[in-house]
Amino acid sequence: MKEAIYHFPVEGSPLSCEQIKSGHINETYLITTDTGARYILQWINRYVFPNVEAIMNNMSAISQFLRKKEHGRMCMISYIDTLDGHSYYDDGKGGCWRIYRFVDNSICLQRAERPEDFYESAVAFGRFQNALNDFPAEKLEETIAHFHDTVDRYRQLREAIAADACGRLSEVQPEVDFLMEREEKGCRLHHMRESGQLPTRVTHNDTKINNVLLDADSRKALCVIDLDTVMPGLSVFDFGDAIRFGASTAAEDEPDLRKVSLDLELFRVFTRGFAEACPALTAEEINALQLGAYTMTLECGLRFLTDYLNGDKYFSIDREKHNLDRARTQFKLVQDMEQKWDEMARIVEEETKK
Ligand code: GN1
Ligand code: MG
């Protein structure tokens, strides 16, 4: 890591390096130099992202596009090239590194401390989506193939079940049954995408509130970060993934399922912020927002469960059965959405008709 930083044009000499524990895939460090300049250095996980070139090309393409637009500079983070002009540094030992300048006076929340914070995260993702409304999505590469393709996620789950590599299948039969009973509804969105009922756009695809920076004083949205999965997708993926993470009453890995439910007030404020910031949404997309929340929650639970069956190879874990706990919270949330379905529909209608 120490070596990696010297390949970038940083101001001053690096003094300290502190790991930021956030995210399940990459490793992130805060570097401070002797001039007080601060940078975020990231190590990219090549198991998850074999094609780093594609990620960085996508980012360069959209940041160039956004820079030309009003406010564009603010709606996503921009990376700094290496001293020899590359968008990332390959250390030749299997590691890839990149940096961006720490945004002064910014905060990154793991949970909304008040509804307004969640509203601002909706504004950040809605604005990003809206600003890229006229970007040709087909120019972007798929950084992870079939990322939000729920049909393919079910296929991967079936593979994991058949292999039962760690002998964990018998322990998770209720969770497997839960998923199988919901396969038709879980895959509906994917079929709507394939049939062209919903437009393919440039989407962020990983819209947790901790992928947004807010101004520390005003708490207004500054920009979105973690752009590794920016690629062609559905607007409702971004809406849905944000809801599954941020509108839950508990953490994604809460072991006590009694604490997990969908907070309808948070669902409401996010819907409002996203719709206000993204007037480009079509009536079909608005109609599918709720299904987006359901699908992203079910799919994420399915992914955690698949990884648990495979031996926790994809998502990093801090404890035994961590991925199983994560899967269970998602399923609890799906169940709660099923119960609150009509209320969710009403909220979407109320918040989008203005
Ligand atoms: C991963 O690394 P992080 O925490 O930003 C994952 C998302 C999941 C999320 C679940 C590339 O995101 O898809 O929704 O964990 N990212 C990738 O917390 O798979
Ligand atoms: Mg991520």
Side-chain angles (χ1 to χ4, degrees):
M1 182 203 321
K2 259 197 192 144
E3 192 234 325
I5 190 73
Y6 292 107
H7 292 268
F8 293 92
V10 295
E11 197 190 289
S13 305
L15 268 188
S16 68
C17 173
E18 174 196 331
Q19 185 164 9
I20 299 178
K21 275 294 213 180
S22 168
H24 309 327
I25 311 283
N26 296 326
E27 283 174 22
T28 305
Y29 303 88
L30 173 67
I31 306 277
T32 308
T33 75
D34 58 1
T35 68
R38 287 182 293 173
Y39 297 88
I40 297 291
L41 174 71
Q42 273 188 315
W43 170 86
I44 311 172
N45 179 329
R46 301 294 293 277
Y47 174 78
V48 170
F49 297 109
N51 194 351
V52 177
E53 198 72 28
I55 297 180
M56 300 311 286
N57 286 345
N58 283 357
M59 278 186 216
S60 305
I62 59 169
S63 68
Q64 265 175 35
F65 178 88
L66 289 175
R67 216 163 272 151
K68 288 191 196 134
K69 283 193 155 182
E70 211 190 356
H71 307 310
R73 203 182 285 271
M74 289 313 287
C75 87
M76 69 172 263
I77 201 80
S78 295
Y79 287 88
I80 301 171
D81 283 349
T82 61
L83 288 164
D84 53 6
H86 286 99
S87 52
Y88 64 94
Y89 167 64
D90 185 337
D91 64 17
K93 291 174 250 160
C96 282
W97 301 84
R98 61 179 176 204
I99 64 165
Y100 62 83
R101 186 132 191 172
F102 183 86
V103 179
D104 284 334
N105 207 38
S106 68
I107 51 170
C108 175
L109 300 176
Q110 297 307 315
R111 297 186 60 77
E113 287 165 9
R114 45 193 193 204
E116 292 80 2
D117 296 336
F118 198 42
Y119 171 86
E120 287 300 323
S121 77
V123 169
F125 288 118
R127 204 181 268 167
F128 176 75
Q129 181 107 166
N130 204 60
L132 290 165
N133 183 33
D134 51 346
F135 183 96
E138 67 283 358
K139 290 221 167 116
L140 297 182
E141 293 182 59
E142 278 214 299
T143 59
I144 299 181
H146 301 286
F147 191 59
H148 285 317
D149 171 348
T150 318
V151 174
D152 196 65
R153 295 290 181 186
Y154 267 96
R155 184 193 60 72
Q156 293 182 37
L157 171 67
R158 289 198 165 85
E159 259 180 33
I161 291 172
D164 192 15
C166 303
R168 294 174 173 177
L169 179 61
S170 56
E171 177 195 0
V172 300
Q173 201 53 56
E175 284 75 17
V176 170
D177 293 344
F178 181 92
L179 282 168
M180 294 308 172
E181 282 158 22
R182 287 161 179 81
E183 186 167 8
E184 188 279 325
K185 188 168 175 182
C187 294
R188 213 177 278 166
L189 206 52
H190 180 73
H191 298 305
M192 288 165 80
R193 179 182 183 182
E194 285 201 313
S195 68
Q197 270 183 71
L198 294 171
T200 293
R201 297 180 176 276
V202 178
T203 48
H204 182 284
N205 296 305
D206 187 6
T207 50
K208 301 196 281 197
I209 190 171
N210 60 13
N211 283 333
V212 170
L213 298 183
L214 303 181
D215 184 279
D217 299 321
S218 69
R219 311 273 291 209
K220 294 281 178 212
L222 289 176
C223 64
V224 302
I225 57 173
D226 191 3
L227 304 156
D228 300 330
T229 50
V230 171
M231 58 183 146
L234 296 180
S235 56
V236 302
F237 293 162
D238 282 4
F239 175 84
D241 194 48
I243 295 297
R244 81 149 189 94
F245 188 83
S248 170
T249 51
E252 188 184 66
D253 57 357
E254 172 59 56
D256 181 355
L257 293 180
R258 288 170 304 184
K259 294 186 181 159
V260 182
S261 64
L262 178 75
D263 181 324
L264 286 173
E265 204 35 48
L266 290 178
F267 180 75
R268 181 184 287 282
V269 297
F270 195 92
T271 307
R272 183 184 305 155
F274 196 71
E276 280 173 4
C278 190
L281 292 178
T282 65
E284 287 77 15
E285 287 175 295
I286 286 174
N287 279 335
L289 288 175
Q290 188 178 353
L291 185 60
Y294 182 92
T295 308
M296 289 297 99
T297 312
L298 187 80
E299 182 196 274
C300 196
L302 185 161
R303 293 173 61 200
F304 287 140
L305 189 72
T306 304
D307 198 38
Y308 182 69
L309 287 169
N310 287 338
D312 310 305
K313 293 201 169 76
Y314 187 99
F315 296 105
S316 64
I317 53 166
D318 298 332
R319 58 176 191 251
E320 230 188 295
K321 298 186 200 264
H322 203 166
N323 275 320
L324 181 56
D325 286 344
R326 289 172 178 150
R328 286 179 171 151
T329 60
Q330 303 307 292
F331 301 149
K332 175 70 196 302
L333 211 47
V334 165
Q335 262 176 331
D336 200 44
M337 287 181 189
E338 288 170 351
Q339 276 170 11
K340 293 177 174 160
W341 198 252
D342 294 343
E343 281 166 283
M344 288 169 78
R346 194 161 40 80
I347 290 171
V348 171
E349 207 192 309
E350 286 168 6
E351 295 301 332
T352 57
K353 71 178 174 219
K354 297 164 191 167

